[in-house]
Amino acid sequence: MTEFKHITVLLNEAVENLEIKPDGIYVDCTLGGGGHTRKILSQLAENGHLYSFDQDQTAIDYNKQQFETEIKQGKLTLIKDNFRNLKFALSDYGVSEVDGIVYDLGVSSPQFDVAERGFSYRLDAPLDMRMDQSQKLTAQIIVNEWSFNDLVRIFSRYGEEKFSKQIARKIEQERQQQPIETTTQLVEIIKAALPAKVKRKSGHPAKKVFQALRIAVNDELGALEQSLEAALSLLKLNGRICVITFQSLEDRLVKTLFKEKSSLPDLPQGLPVIPKDMQVNYRLVNRKPIVPSEEEIKINHRAHSAKLRVIERIKK
């Protein structure tokens, strides 16, 4: 059994902003090590309920043991599924609306720290990067089989890597000689493709490409957009969604979607009253994202890029 040594970032801020009702129905879309699930459960009465999602079987198995009592009491249901299927999965339990939903995006610490998962550029492992280990697509398949143009596209779009073409070309050359099967092999190829001055800069030279591969393997941005649309439609009146992001692409997606949903459409000038069908259904709880304190960043280095955005349903 994998031990989830995971420090949950912005834990108190995220749960506080959900404004938990003791008898409410809540969803933790990213169960992971169970940090948010534990905190929400502590505020729920016996007639409250929490549904916690994870596509990683390791997380489900670990939390079945952690929360054995709450599961038996009927306060917690664990669901092994991608959160993009949020609405369909909840409908299986007769749930069509909820009081609040929390997302803690990115890779959990245990996924990074277990070498054989292949998420880390610092640990030698097979090129895997699947959050759901039952799916077929792996980072190894992308690196060895996807076209030069597709590699350039994902490295630049998902990794914001300036040297995408050089890295993709080097991968293309190397895979003609032998398959690229491990994280260490890929790191060396990336290093060989980059100019010396870039390698001297702070930060690991493979960080952006590894992020891009992880996002592509798990279709993270597509899944997030689909899930958030479903989450917004599931909210009861005064229900809230809290989303913690760790990189700019995710944060931009959340920020843009929340802004769209909470902004008035273009209205004719001089309207004395906004017609009911044009009024917004949601409001931004915080205009600017909530970020971790300096103390939290000192305790947990993975917190430095975290941002929390919150939206509330104000009209049905």
Side-chain angles (χ1 to χ4, degrees):
M1 179 67 61
T2 301
E3 178 58 42
F4 273 69
K5 290 176 183 168
H6 181 76
I7 305 168
T8 308
V9 178
L10 290 168
L11 171 63
N12 295 328
E13 293 86 343
V15 177
E16 275 166 24
N17 273 282
L18 281 177
E19 295 194 332
I20 302 281
K21 296 173 187 166
D23 62 347
I25 297 172
Y26 292 88
V27 182
D28 181 353
C29 276
T30 45
L31 172 62
H36 287 106
T37 284
R38 183 178 297 284
K39 188 87 174 172
I40 294 166
L41 284 170
S42 73
Q43 297 183 28
L44 288 180
E46 283 180 19
N47 56 343
H49 200 90
L50 175 62
Y51 295 89
S52 293
F53 282 72
D54 210 297
Q55 58 184 326
D56 187 343
Q57 189 62 51
T58 309
I60 296 289
D61 292 342
Y62 172 73
N63 286 290
K64 267 183 189 167
Q65 290 192 356
Q66 262 212 114
F67 299 112
E68 190 178 0
T69 304
E70 292 83 354
I71 293 167
K72 281 180 181 169
Q73 286 171 343
K75 274 176 75 175
L76 173 64
T77 302
L78 302 183
I79 301 174
K80 185 195 178 292
D81 206 339
N82 189 311
F83 61 43
R84 78 188 315 151
N85 303 319
L86 178 66
K87 209 166 187 175
F88 301 111
L90 288 175
S91 70
D92 288 343
Y93 295 90
V95 177
S96 58
E97 52 179 14
V98 301
D99 294 284
I101 302 170
V102 66
Y103 292 82
D104 181 6
L105 301 171
V107 180
S108 67
S109 300
Q111 288 172 327
F112 262 127
D113 297 339
V114 176
E116 58 265 26
R117 299 298 295 268
F119 284 105
S120 177
Y121 41 76
R122 300 186 191 281
L123 303 169
D124 186 38
L127 271 172
D128 192 322
M129 301 196 196
R130 291 171 299 170
M131 289 181 179
D132 176 357
Q133 290 184 291
S134 65
Q135 78 170 39
K136 289 196 173 101
L137 184 65
T138 63
Q140 190 173 321
I141 289 170
I142 292 176
V143 167
N144 288 285
E145 298 177 18
W146 283 23
S147 70
F148 167 79
N149 287 334
D150 282 338
L151 292 177
V152 172
R153 176 179 59 80
I154 65 167
F155 295 163
S156 56
R157 190 179 294 176
Y158 300 155
E160 299 178 296
E161 173 56 74
K162 289 178 187 171
F163 297 94
S164 296
K165 285 184 180 174
Q166 292 91 324
I167 294 166
R169 189 68 70 206
K170 190 71 180 164
I171 286 171
E172 214 177 27
Q173 290 167 3
E174 292 294 325
R175 72 190 187 186
Q176 283 169 1
Q177 308 303 316
Q178 60 174 358
I180 303 163
E181 294 176 340
T182 68
T183 52
T184 306
Q185 269 180 287
L186 182 58
V187 167
E188 292 309 313
I189 291 164
I190 294 164
K191 284 180 179 174
L194 293 172
K197 62 179 182 183
V198 175
K199 285 183 278 192
R200 284 197 293 270
K201 284 183 183 174
S202 64
H204 198 285
K207 183 178 180 179
K208 292 177 178 178
V209 169
F210 270 64
Q211 174 182 296
L213 283 169
R214 194 198 82 213
I215 290 171
V217 167
N218 299 290
D219 187 26
E220 288 179 36
L221 296 176
L224 176 59
E225 187 168 9
Q226 204 174 327
S227 186
L228 284 174
E229 289 281 6
L232 286 157
S233 71
L234 283 163
L235 278 187
K236 291 181 185 178
L237 189 63
N238 304 125
R240 289 183 170 192
I241 298 170
C242 296
V243 186
I244 302 166
T245 61
F246 290 87
Q247 43 101 338
S248 59
L249 296 172
E250 286 173 342
D251 183 57
R252 205 174 305 144
L253 192 158
V254 176
K255 181 184 177 182
T256 304
L257 183 60
F258 282 8
K259 192 179 176 192
E260 277 173 17
K261 298 289 182 182
S262 59
S263 301
L264 286 166
D266 291 334
L267 298 168
Q269 282 189 325
L271 270 185
V273 179
I274 298 166
K276 205 163 186 182
D277 62 339
M278 287 186 171
Q279 291 171 12
V280 293
N281 293 335
Y282 304 90
R283 76 170 183 96
L284 296 177
V285 174
N286 49 331
R287 290 268 159 203
K288 288 187 174 177
I290 297 164
V291 295
S293 64
E294 283 180 25
E295 294 85 77
E296 182 167 11
I297 291 167
K298 275 181 199 165
I299 295 164
N300 184 5
H301 73 280
R302 285 178 181 160
H304 75 277
S305 59
K307 289 179 180 176
L308 168 63
R309 295 188 185 271
V310 188
I311 196 167
E312 179 182 2
R313 182 159 212 149
I314 54 170
K315 184 167 92 62
K316 282 294 265 184

